[in-house]
Amino acid sequence: MRRHYQKTSLYKNVTPEDWNDWKWQMANRITSIEDLEQVLSFSPDERQDINRGLQRLRMAITPYYATLMKPDDPDCPLRRQAVPNILETRIKNSESRDPLHEEKDSPLPGLTHRYPDRVLLLVTDQCSMYCRHCTRRRFAGQTDQALSINKIKMGLNYIKQHKEIRDVLISGGDPFCLPDQRLEFILSSLKDIKHLEILRIGTRTPVVMPQRITEELCTMLKRYQPLYINTHFNHPTEITAEAELACARLVDAGIPLGNQSVLLKGINDCPYIMKKLVQRLLQIRVRPYYLYQCDLSEGIEHFRTPVSRGIEIIEMLRGHTSGLAVPTFVVDAPGGGGKIPVGPQYQISNSSEKTILRNYEGVICTYTEPEDKSHTCRNCGICEDFPEYEYRGLEQLYREERIALIPKSNVRMKRRAMNNEFGQA
Ligand SMILES: *Cc1c(COP(=O)(O)O)cnc(C)c1O
Ligand code: SF4
């Protein structure tokens, strides 16, 4: 990868010790237009536009990430993720502050409980770099600080009291902006909660400030297994020697690493860029986990592609490259419905005798069903390991007497209710 920082006078005299010290990277983040002018070239018009964009969401770019951006190319995929744009001031009707209703599903500040058995715990609103496409831009960078220890303790308490929670996803902001000590306090408090089975951290640090992934941090994290980390690479040029080292340290500490990319117009909305990205990720031992459709957060429409672009990308990955490289493409449903997988259709038709499928090459194949299609419960008792279990969604149709799931607003049902009221039913 070609490095550009040799060209920028700004970092000429920085010692390697400073450069490799994440505290130096944090302290020297580019946060103003004046700083930005030292590393990028732009016209006075562009200057004004950038300034307007940064009113919507704080700017911060680590010197490390800044040196990966092409200084003369406004369309550089890394630069577009980091540098504010005037388009961020345009807010569409379909967009909202909190499209995923993370706050409506929040019993406490910093905690979202959307799924039955897992919660999202936001521990800081600070990031080393603020992504311009950030979905949580209502929250990220608000104070550029950690959540108060009190709020965190309230979240921990909630988790303690809800025995159905078995998985806690620590996110933010970026949890790796916290000092080791604070992070360890959170991890060890969670580790003490007996009903938790796994912990997860969501972080962009390996991408935007790999210097943070120190040996000491990894030694600490190692004590809190099973711990899974998901990071956020969006473009193959983000996979540098530094990023690779950071990922290697985490994986060598026994922490499985996954990646969550966001599908971004003009950045990675091309099957070949995505193929390159996912294949490179496997080389650095990071397993592609999700590819997200860009959310309906305010001021990011210029990053959005149609959903069909993501489907097309998966079409060109599945079968064409290692299955391990293929993420699940999801739309995080506006209104808090959660992540919904979408993808190409492979099932063409289906009778009780045969399922007809097509493969990635377009070959149409048959799968012959077994003659005996019955299923019987073996009464093994494993299902009893899920106490106080309530059936959800289609599970209710399969497992209960219920014959239909009907939306509250269904007009026919309203009419039935009215008929009942008039005693005609
Ligand atoms: C994404 C998310 C999770 C985790 O979802 P998985 O599909 O289990 O990775 C949990 N809670 C919230 C609120 C989320 O947005
Ligand atoms: S790292 Fe995550 S939370 Fe922080 S700005 Fe980027 S997308 Fe938002």
Side-chain angles (χ1 to χ4, degrees), residues 64-65 81 133 203-208 210 230-240 242-244 246-247 257-262 264 268 274 277-278 281 284 286 290-291:
Y64 161 78
Y65 199 84
Q81 293 181 64
H133 56 274
T203 173
R204 208 177 181 198
T205 296
V207 187
V208 293
N230 272 325
T231 187
H232 173 181
F233 286 94
N234 284 330
H235 194 274
T237 60
E238 290 171 338
I239 304 178
T240 62
E242 289 90 332
E244 180 169 357
C247 294
L257 270 187
N259 188 67
Q260 321 198 107
S261 297
V262 186
L264 297 168
N268 60 14
M274 205 53 92
L277 172 65
V278 294
L281 286 170
I284 65 165
V286 177
Y290 281 141
L291 170 63

Side-chain angles (χ1 to χ4, degrees), residues 325-340:
V326 185
T328 304
F329 177 49
V330 292
V331 179
D332 217 332
K339 299 170 184 75
I340 302 174

Side-chain angles (χ1 to χ4, degrees), residues 100 102 112-115 118-120 136 167 169 200 230 260 289-290 292 332 338-339:
L100 310 180
E102 291 185 325
T112 298
H113 194 172
R114 168 180 303 148
Y115 293 105
R118 52 209 191 277
V119 294
L120 173 68
R136 211 169 279 147
D167 170 5
L169 171 48
R200 294 197 258 177
N230 272 325
Q260 321 198 107
Y289 179 50
Y290 281 141
Y292 286 100
D332 217 332
K339 299 170 184 75

Side-chain angles (χ1 to χ4, degrees), residues 127 129-131 133-136 140 172-174 204 232:
C127 293
M129 180 179 104
Y130 291 108
C131 311
H133 56 274
C134 181
T135 185
R136 211 169 279 147
D174 195 321
R204 208 177 181 198
H232 173 181

Side-chain angles (χ1 to χ4, degrees), residues 20-23 176 180 205 209-221 245-246 249-250 253:
N20 293 318
D21 175 358
W22 71 277
K23 291 186 175 136
F176 285 153
D180 289 10
T205 296
M209 191 174 62
Q211 296 79 7
R212 170 71 181 99
I213 312 300
T214 59
E215 296 285 3
E216 301 77 71
L217 175 71
C218 294
T219 306
M220 184 276 278
L221 295 174
L245 174 65
R249 281 185 175 163
L250 291 167

